């Protein structure tokens, strides 16, 4: 059973302002940001010149649609420092994330940017029921990845105590969790499942842990996985979202009133756009998430297309916040596989598997290949240890039931292969779900 926790609002003025007040504030920031970008960042000036747009044409949120998108190729083409709006000497820290383009996306932060990032994370921590003086176990990777150092600095600002565990050495992580008794854990949701499996294997009594809340993100995960974590760990699980280019973790976080993610829109203005036409979509329609980072000094960005797929909602949440909210990310547009002409996301398969967590673990892998010019796909799933001794007949029934649920969600017949417990690779951070050998 998940513990009851108390949450609070960290920055009432900015998290609870009316939509009109926020739009006015954001519009003012957009005007300044576009002007700064035009003056300070040569690639951006060229982009606007090519589109025939002058900074004066952009007066606020209502004019955003006129601006061209930016994307990962702008980072690739201006690698390593060409996206900066300040001299390199004014950058206090760099982070980077590996891109599909082969070149890292290098992201710089001034002193004020680090402070802003910590402030945004403090908002997330309050949403997730963290308290001053809490002991925080941070298992996101430290280094170029933003998941470790970002929350670390924010913990210090929040008044909590950070344990910079970083990734790996799962046995040592379990020792810290049981002996030091942290209140909060930060890691990817798949790594949390790995920790829980390992604890079960070692016979750790989880009721002896002191964990109250977990702040999970950096990869797509489902509500089913959230429930599994909450039940097995006896904690509340929150969804923290972010990407290096925009800031890192803390661009948004879920609150205790549901699974939607509150976006810190006074600094990271969100739009959801139609992937085909690029036009902004109304609330509730699925599209690609686009952000404008309008207050960052080193790396302001206008209309950065994350290619993350979600829906946006405006209006006041039951928690009292008025910040726009997005649905849990279902995946990235580039995670989408086309199998025999049907679009498929790993999260759809996870949703189906999530109905059978009494029998199988959520540690799964999807194998795709092309055989005789036909797409072939199957899913490997680990049985839970207590099911492993079941009769072949029972296992065949289970196999069929999972395949039927996958078909009803995806519209595809996908073969399921049940394997022994703990035989698939375990997550150490962001989990690689799909092994696609079609285009090798
Ligand atoms: O993953 C930042 C982060 C660290 C977020 C720790 C949360 C916790 P990148 O490595 O640049 O940054 O990867 C960003 O990861 O565009 C999404 O596709 C995915 N992602 C991040 N958070 C979530 C989430 C960090 N909560 C990319 N749900 C993003 C789903 C997420 N996907």
């Amino acid at each position: 059973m998940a513990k009851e926790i108390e949450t609070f609002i960290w920055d009432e003025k900015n998290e609870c302002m009316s939509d009109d007040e926020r739009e006015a504030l954001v519009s003012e920031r957009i005007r300044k940001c576009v002007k700064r970008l035009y003056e300070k960042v040569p690639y951006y000036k060229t982009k606007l010149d090519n589109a025939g747009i002058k900074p004066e044409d952009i007066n606020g949120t209502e004019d955003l649609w006129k601006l061209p998108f930016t994307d990962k190729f702008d980072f690739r083409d201006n690698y390593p420092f060409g996206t900066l709006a300040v001299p390199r000497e004014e950058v206090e820290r760099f982070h980077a994330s590996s891109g599909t383009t082969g070149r890292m996306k290098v992201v710089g932060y001034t002193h004020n940017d680090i402070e802003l990032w910590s402030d945004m994370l403090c908002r997330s921590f309050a949403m997730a029921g963290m308290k001053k003086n809490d002991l925080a176990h941070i298992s996101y990777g430290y280094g170029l990845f933003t998941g470790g150092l970002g929350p670390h600095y924010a913990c210090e600002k929040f008044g909590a105590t950070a344990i910079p565990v970083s990734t790996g050495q799962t046995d040592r992580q379990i020792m810290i969790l049981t002996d030091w008794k942290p209140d909060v854990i930060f890691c990817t949701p798949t790594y949390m499942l790995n920790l829980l499996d390992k604890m079960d294997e070692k016979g750790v009594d989880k009721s002896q842990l002191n964990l109250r809340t977990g702040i999970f993100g950096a990869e797509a995960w489902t509500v089913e996985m959230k429930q599994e974590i909450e039940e097995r760990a006896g904690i509340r699980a929150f969804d923290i979202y972010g990407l290096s280019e925009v800031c890192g973790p803390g661009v948004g976080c879920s609150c205790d009133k549901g699974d939607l993610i509150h976006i810190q829109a006074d600094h990271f203005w969100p739009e959801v756009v139609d992937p085909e036409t690029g036009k902004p979509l109304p609330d509730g329609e699925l599209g690609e998430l686009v952000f404008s980072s309008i207050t960052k000094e080193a790396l302001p960005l206008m209309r950065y297309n994350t290619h993350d797929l979600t829906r946006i909602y405006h209006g006041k949440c039951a928690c009292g916040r008025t910040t726009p909210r997005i649905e849990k990310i279902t995946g990235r547009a580039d995670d989408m596989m086309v199998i025999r002409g049907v679009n498929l996301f790993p999260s759809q398969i996870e949703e189906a598997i999530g109905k059978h967590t009494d029998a199988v673990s959520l540690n799964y892998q999807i194998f795709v290949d092309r055989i005789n010019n036909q797409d072939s796909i199957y899913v490997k799933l680990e049985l839970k240890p207590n099911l492993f001794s079941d009769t072949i007949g029972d296992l065949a029934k289970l196999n069929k039931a999972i395949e039927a649920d996958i078909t009803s969600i995806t519209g595809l017949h996908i073969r399921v292969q049940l394997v022994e417990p703990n035989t698939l690779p375990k997550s150490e951070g962001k989990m690689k779900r799909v092994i696609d050998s079609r285009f090798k």
Side-chain angles (χ1 to χ4, degrees):
M1 269 287 289
K3 293 188 180 112
E4 274 305 306
I5 58 164
E6 245 179 273
T7 62
F8 63 104
I9 296 176
W10 179 260
D11 179 352
E12 195 155 349
K13 178 169 170 275
N14 287 305
E15 292 179 80
C16 304
M17 63 173 70
S18 71
D19 282 352
D20 286 350
E21 278 175 288
R22 188 174 291 111
E23 289 241 11
L25 175 72
V26 166
S27 290
E28 174 65 31
R29 289 176 172 175
I30 286 174
R31 280 196 288 279
K32 285 193 185 142
C33 184
V34 173
K35 186 163 179 289
R36 244 188 101 230
L37 269 164
Y38 191 79
E39 286 164 3
K40 307 272 183 198
V41 185
Y43 93 83
Y44 199 74
K45 179 176 186 301
T46 309
K47 220 182 224 309
L48 287 203
D49 287 346
N50 289 346
I53 295 164
K54 293 271 165 252
E56 309 77 78
D57 298 335
I58 309 299
N59 286 307
T61 52
E62 72 282 7
D63 294 325
L64 270 184
W65 64 272
K66 296 179 187 165
L67 290 172
F69 292 115
T70 46
D71 62 23
K72 60 186 175 192
F73 298 109
D74 294 308
F75 281 85
R76 180 195 65 184
D77 298 345
N78 296 288
Y79 172 85
F81 301 147
T83 52
L84 294 177
V86 296
R88 205 279 303 142
E89 294 71 17
E90 284 176 30
V91 172
E92 191 168 276
R93 195 196 303 164
F94 280 113
H95 283 281
S97 73
S98 46
T100 41
T101 62
R103 276 180 173 173
M104 282 180 285
K105 285 168 272 181
V106 179
V107 295
Y109 304 76
T110 63
H111 179 76
N112 288 337
D113 292 336
I114 300 274
E115 291 296 322
L116 169 75
W117 186 13
S118 293
D119 288 339
M120 297 303 106
L121 277 160
C122 287
R123 292 187 190 178
S124 304
F125 296 173
M127 267 191 253
M130 227 171 116
K131 302 268 181 293
K132 286 190 180 185
N133 301 324
D134 268 351
L135 185 56
H137 180 115
I138 305 178
S139 309
Y140 289 119
Y142 279 62
L144 287 177
F145 181 50
T146 52
L149 281 169
H152 183 103
Y153 273 64
C155 273
E156 294 179 350
K157 191 160 192 179
F158 193 79
T161 309
I163 318 175
V165 196
S166 198
T167 50
Q169 291 189 268
T170 302
D171 285 334
R172 192 182 67 165
Q173 304 239 4
I174 292 173
M175 192 188 293
I176 294 172
L177 287 167
T178 49
D179 297 347
W180 304 19
K181 300 206 180 299
D183 309 276
V184 186
I185 185 164
F186 292 80
C187 61
T188 59
T190 54
Y191 188 62
M192 187 66 199
L193 285 180
N194 182 0
L195 279 170
L196 289 169
D197 286 349
K198 229 359 191 298
M199 282 191 230
D200 286 347
E201 217 179 290
K202 290 165 79 88
V204 172
D205 175 4
K206 293 197 284 291
S207 69
Q208 296 305 306
L209 302 180
N210 196 41
L211 283 180
R212 187 177 71 238
T213 183
I215 304 185
F216 305 114
E219 60 185 358
W221 55 311
T222 52
V223 176
E224 287 75 15
M225 192 182 284
K226 176 186 159 175
Q227 284 161 355
E228 164 104 355
I229 291 173
E230 289 194 329
E231 272 164 34
R232 289 179 64 192
I235 62 172
R236 287 293 304 274
F238 291 85
D239 191 353
I240 190 159
Y241 170 81
L243 64 160
S244 321
E245 302 89 300
V246 171
C247 194
V251 172
C253 188
S254 63
C255 68
D256 66 337
K257 300 289 183 240
D259 292 316
L260 298 183
I261 297 171
H262 285 270
I263 297 295
Q264 308 303 353
D266 44 336
H267 297 279
F268 315 120
W269 183 254
E271 299 168 80
V272 169
V273 304
D274 183 324
E276 302 287 316
T277 63
K279 294 235 164 70
L281 290 170
D283 280 17
E285 287 195 25
L286 185 69
E288 288 180 330
L289 186 57
V290 169
F291 280 107
S292 296
S293 304
I294 48 184
T295 51
K296 295 257 296 292
E297 290 178 343
L299 188 57
L301 274 180
M302 291 307 296
R303 305 200 86 206
Y304 184 75
N305 193 337
T306 66
H307 298 293
D308 286 328
L309 294 167
T310 190
R311 298 176 169 84
I312 195 163
Y313 299 93
H314 291 84
K316 191 170 176 173
C317 173
C319 72
R321 293 175 183 84
T322 55
T323 36
R325 286 165 288 160
I326 57 164
E327 215 165 63
K328 252 178 156 3
I329 307 283
T330 16
R332 302 174 50 78
D334 28 21
D335 282 347
M336 191 183 80
M337 299 171 272
V338 181
I339 306 290
R340 298 173 223 131
V342 178
N343 298 349
L344 175 73
F345 287 97
S347 59
Q348 293 175 291
I349 292 183
E350 189 173 306
E351 193 187 326
I353 300 169
K355 296 179 193 289
H356 300 273
T357 47
D358 48 334
V360 291
S361 117
L362 280 176
N363 194 29
Y364 64 95
Q365 278 195 316
I366 303 168
F367 293 83
V368 188
D369 209 344
R370 183 156 289 161
I371 297 169
N372 298 333
N373 291 325
Q374 279 263 325
D375 292 330
S376 115
I377 176 167
Y378 72 99
V379 183
K380 268 193 188 177
L381 270 180
E382 282 176 348
L383 280 166
K384 289 236 162 122
N386 55 326
L387 262 280
F388 186 51
S389 53
D390 274 15
T391 63
I392 291 184
D394 287 342
L395 293 181
K397 255 192 228 153
L398 174 66
N399 210 314
K400 273 218 162 85
I402 301 173
E403 285 180 352
D405 279 329
I406 293 179
T407 306
S408 92
I409 291 173
T410 64
L412 282 164
H413 179 69
I414 296 176
R415 199 159 44 84
V416 162
Q417 184 185 339
L418 297 172
V419 299
E420 287 180 34
N422 302 318
T423 48
L424 294 181
K426 296 273 187 195
S427 163
E428 290 288 334
K430 293 185 193 243
M431 181 68 182
K432 187 169 166 49
R433 291 294 191 199
V434 182
I435 293 80
D436 192 337
S437 314
R438 284 180 297 179
F439 307 110
K440 279 190 179 149

